[in-house]
mmCIF file of all heavy atoms in Angstrom:
data_model
loop_
_atom_site.group_PDB
_atom_site.id
_atom_site.type_symbol
_atom_site.label_atom_id
_atom_site.label_comp_id
_atom_site.label_asym_id
_atom_site.label_seq_id
_atom_site.Cartn_x
_atom_site.Cartn_y
_atom_site.Cartn_z
ATOM 1 N N ASP A 126 113.932 -138.736 79.123
ATOM 2 C CA ASP A 126 114.626 -138.166 77.978
ATOM 3 C C ASP A 126 115.748 -137.198 78.354
ATOM 4 O O ASP A 126 116.924 -137.538 78.262
ATOM 5 C CB ASP A 126 113.613 -137.499 77.042
ATOM 6 C CG ASP A 126 114.210 -137.193 75.682
ATOM 7 O OD1 ASP A 126 115.184 -137.873 75.300
ATOM 8 O OD2 ASP A 126 113.732 -136.279 75.004
ATOM 9 N N ALA A 127 115.384 -135.987 78.832
ATOM 10 C CA ALA A 127 116.390 -134.913 78.947
ATOM 11 C C ALA A 127 117.592 -135.260 79.825
ATOM 12 O O ALA A 127 118.736 -134.944 79.463
ATOM 13 C CB ALA A 127 115.718 -133.645 79.465
ATOM 14 N N VAL A 129 118.970 -138.022 80.507
ATOM 15 C CA VAL A 129 119.738 -139.198 80.078
ATOM 16 C C VAL A 129 120.358 -138.938 78.703
ATOM 17 O O VAL A 129 119.688 -138.391 77.824
ATOM 18 C CB VAL A 129 118.787 -140.422 79.987
ATOM 19 C CG1 VAL A 129 119.511 -141.651 79.460
ATOM 20 C CG2 VAL A 129 118.141 -140.707 81.320
ATOM 21 N N GLY A 130 121.603 -139.328 78.513
ATOM 22 C CA GLY A 130 122.161 -139.295 77.154
ATOM 23 C C GLY A 130 123.095 -138.139 76.863
ATOM 24 O O GLY A 130 123.692 -138.070 75.794
ATOM 25 N N LYS A 132 122.816 -134.766 76.365
ATOM 26 C CA LYS A 132 122.578 -133.498 75.658
ATOM 27 C C LYS A 132 122.358 -132.408 76.700
ATOM 28 O O LYS A 132 121.529 -132.565 77.591
ATOM 29 C CB LYS A 132 121.359 -133.602 74.742
ATOM 30 C CG LYS A 132 121.642 -134.345 73.448
ATOM 31 C CD LYS A 132 120.500 -134.210 72.462
ATOM 32 C CE LYS A 132 120.804 -134.976 71.176
ATOM 33 N NZ LYS A 132 119.660 -135.008 70.254
ATOM 34 N N GLU A 174 107.281 -139.825 75.284
ATOM 35 C CA GLU A 174 108.643 -140.271 74.927
ATOM 36 C C GLU A 174 108.771 -141.786 75.157
ATOM 37 O O GLU A 174 109.514 -142.469 74.458
ATOM 38 C CB GLU A 174 109.705 -139.505 75.719
ATOM 39 C CG GLU A 174 109.750 -137.996 75.449
ATOM 40 C CD GLU A 174 110.346 -137.609 74.087
ATOM 41 O OE1 GLU A 174 110.875 -138.474 73.369
ATOM 42 O OE2 GLU A 174 110.251 -136.406 73.731
ATOM 43 N N LYS A 177 107.350 -143.341 72.140
ATOM 44 C CA LYS A 177 108.352 -143.267 71.051
ATOM 45 C C LYS A 177 109.399 -144.378 71.196
ATOM 46 O O LYS A 177 109.719 -145.065 70.216
ATOM 47 C CB LYS A 177 109.027 -141.888 71.068
ATOM 48 C CG LYS A 177 110.125 -141.715 70.046
ATOM 49 C CD LYS A 177 111.011 -140.519 70.356
ATOM 50 C CE LYS A 177 111.990 -140.812 71.469
ATOM 51 N NZ LYS A 177 112.852 -139.673 71.835
ATOM 52 N N LYS A 214 116.850 -146.006 75.164
ATOM 53 C CA LYS A 214 117.610 -144.794 74.838
ATOM 54 C C LYS A 214 119.109 -145.009 75.073
ATOM 55 O O LYS A 214 119.936 -144.647 74.230
ATOM 56 C CB LYS A 214 117.096 -143.609 75.666
ATOM 57 C CG LYS A 214 117.933 -142.354 75.425
ATOM 58 C CD LYS A 214 117.288 -141.043 75.765
ATOM 59 C CE LYS A 214 118.256 -139.916 75.387
ATOM 60 N NZ LYS A 214 117.748 -138.597 75.608
ATOM 61 N N VAL A 218 122.198 -144.473 72.524
ATOM 62 C CA VAL A 218 123.189 -143.424 72.789
ATOM 63 C C VAL A 218 124.600 -144.026 72.891
ATOM 64 O O VAL A 218 125.577 -143.425 72.435
ATOM 65 C CB VAL A 218 122.813 -142.630 74.063
ATOM 66 C CG1 VAL A 218 123.932 -141.691 74.489
ATOM 67 C CG2 VAL A 218 121.529 -141.839 73.823
ATOM 68 N N GLU A 224 125.152 -138.406 67.738
ATOM 69 C CA GLU A 224 124.067 -138.319 66.756
ATOM 70 C C GLU A 224 124.572 -138.221 65.305
ATOM 71 O O GLU A 224 124.142 -137.377 64.538
ATOM 72 C CB GLU A 224 123.160 -137.124 67.097
ATOM 73 C CG GLU A 224 121.778 -137.266 66.472
ATOM 74 C CD GLU A 224 120.769 -136.245 66.988
ATOM 75 O OE1 GLU A 224 120.424 -136.306 68.180
ATOM 76 O OE2 GLU A 224 120.329 -135.424 66.183
ATOM 77 N N ARG A 228 121.468 -142.483 66.568
ATOM 78 C CA ARG A 228 120.814 -141.666 67.605
ATOM 79 C C ARG A 228 119.650 -140.855 67.023
ATOM 80 O O ARG A 228 118.750 -140.452 67.731
ATOM 81 C CB ARG A 228 121.830 -140.751 68.304
ATOM 82 C CG ARG A 228 121.202 -140.002 69.469
ATOM 83 C CD ARG A 228 122.185 -139.361 70.422
ATOM 84 N NE ARG A 228 121.474 -138.726 71.525
ATOM 85 C CZ ARG A 228 122.028 -138.321 72.651
ATOM 86 N NH1 ARG A 228 123.324 -138.504 72.828
ATOM 87 N NH2 ARG A 228 121.311 -137.742 73.593
ATOM 88 N N LEU A 231 116.019 -141.354 67.907
ATOM 89 C CA LEU A 231 115.342 -140.704 69.038
ATOM 90 C C LEU A 231 114.582 -139.452 68.598
ATOM 91 O O LEU A 231 113.830 -138.872 69.373
ATOM 92 C CB LEU A 231 116.367 -140.359 70.126
ATOM 93 C CG LEU A 231 117.052 -141.573 70.765
ATOM 94 C CD1 LEU A 231 118.231 -141.147 71.626
ATOM 95 C CD2 LEU A 231 116.058 -142.369 71.609
ATOM 96 N N ASN A 232 114.800 -139.037 67.350
ATOM 97 C CA ASN A 232 114.067 -137.880 66.829
ATOM 98 C C ASN A 232 112.744 -138.284 66.199
ATOM 99 O O ASN A 232 112.018 -137.421 65.693
ATOM 100 C CB ASN A 232 114.919 -137.135 65.777
ATOM 101 C CG ASN A 232 116.201 -136.601 66.382
ATOM 102 O OD1 ASN A 232 116.242 -136.298 67.567
ATOM 103 N ND2 ASN A 232 117.249 -136.501 65.577
ATOM 104 N N HIS A 235 109.591 -136.138 66.201
ATOM 105 C CA HIS A 235 109.974 -134.807 66.668
ATOM 106 C C HIS A 235 110.045 -133.750 65.570
ATOM 107 O O HIS A 235 109.975 -132.557 65.868
ATOM 108 C CB HIS A 235 111.313 -134.867 67.411
ATOM 109 C CG HIS A 235 111.171 -135.393 68.809
ATOM 110 N ND1 HIS A 235 110.750 -136.681 69.077
ATOM 111 C CD2 HIS A 235 111.353 -134.813 70.026
ATOM 112 C CE1 HIS A 235 110.709 -136.864 70.397
ATOM 113 N NE2 HIS A 235 111.075 -135.743 70.986
HETATM 114 N N1 LIG B 401 116.187 -136.162 73.005
HETATM 115 C C1 LIG B 401 116.759 -136.968 72.013
HETATM 116 C C2 LIG B 401 118.178 -137.327 72.299
HETATM 117 O O1 LIG B 401 118.618 -137.260 73.433
HETATM 118 O O2 LIG B 401 118.872 -137.670 71.386
#
Side-chain angles (χ1 to χ4, degrees):
D126 194 24
V129 176
K132 282 190 181 173
E174 297 287 352
K177 177 196 77 182
K214 176 159 183 178
V218 171
E224 201 169 294
R228 186 165 183 165
L231 296 169
N232 298 331
H235 282 64

